[in-house]
Amino acid sequence: MNRSTVRTTAATATPSDDFRTMMSSFPTGVAVIAAEDLDGTPRGMTCSSVCSVALDPPTLLVCLRDGSPTLQAVLASGEFTVNLLHENARSVAELFASGDPERFRVTHWERTADSAGPHLPRHAHTIADCTVALTQRVGDHVTVYGRVRHISRPNGRSPLLYGLRQFTAWPTTT
């Protein structure tokens, strides 16, 4: 684009409903981001804002709602897990999006001494353990950059996807 043809206009705010509709047309994978509070209470939330950042060192980012108990646990502990959900984990995605305080009581999860937070091995096709490398507040969310320290693949299922306000499985080819 020729710079001489670029117009400068006063910035106007895009209504959040328009932005939400636009982003719903961009399908993405579905994850549960999980961490433990300093007292050991598990916290977690469904998240579709996950992105790779760098290969060396392996780094990803997640965007978490400012003020959420999950974000508070991530910041307090300095670590978190990214549970990439598989095609049959829609109910878990919906549960962790609901804010139900009993979600960890009704969902199988595991935590080992080496893990960065709760693992959902029955519901995730891949799990990444991360150490917080950087955080940045933007609007009503905080971007958390995580240095990936371990990856596990509990099963070989396909990813769960979300777009156009609906869940679907990765299409298979025959």
Side-chain angles (χ1 to χ4, degrees):
M1 177 185 286
N2 183 335
R3 286 190 180 265
S4 64
T5 62
V6 175
R7 289 185 179 185
T8 55
T9 59
T12 58
T14 299
S16 60
D17 287 342
D18 289 347
F19 184 68
R20 184 176 286 122
T21 299
M22 180 191 86
M23 292 310 298
S24 76
S25 68
F26 185 69
T28 185
V30 183
V32 169
I33 309 305
E36 287 186 357
D37 282 339
L38 295 179
D39 67 2
T41 303
R43 305 290 182 187
M45 63 187 285
T46 300
C47 179
S48 60
S49 298
V50 178
C51 181
S52 65
V53 175
L55 292 175
D56 188 16
T59 305
L60 56 77
L61 67 78
V62 297
C63 298
L64 305 176
R65 184 178 48 82
D66 191 16
S68 73
T70 302
L71 175 62
Q72 292 171 1
V74 167
L75 297 177
S77 68
E79 58 186 13
F80 62 97
T81 59
V82 177
N83 294 276
L84 299 177
L85 300 183
H86 65 63
E87 61 195 337
N88 295 323
R90 176 183 176 167
S91 63
V92 171
E94 291 172 336
L95 175 65
F96 278 82
S98 74
D100 183 341
E102 301 296 313
R103 59 190 148 211
F104 279 101
R105 287 198 177 104
V106 299
T107 303
H108 173 80
W109 63 281
E110 299 172 0
R111 174 82 197 255
T112 66
D114 295 338
S115 63
H119 284 202
L120 305 176
R122 293 182 186 167
H123 308 289
H125 66 82
T126 305
I127 301 169
D129 290 298
C130 303
T131 302
V132 174
L134 176 71
T135 63
Q136 184 176 26
R137 185 175 315 274
V138 179
D140 59 359
H141 279 66
V142 174
T143 303
V144 180
Y145 295 83
R147 188 153 299 144
V148 179
R149 63 185 200 216
H150 183 260
I151 295 173
S152 59
R153 292 179 181 84
N155 62 66
R157 295 189 178 174
S158 294
L160 178 65
L161 302 176
Y162 186 77
L164 298 175
R165 296 188 173 101
Q166 60 187 350
F167 292 97
T168 190
W170 192 273
T172 57
T173 58
T174 54

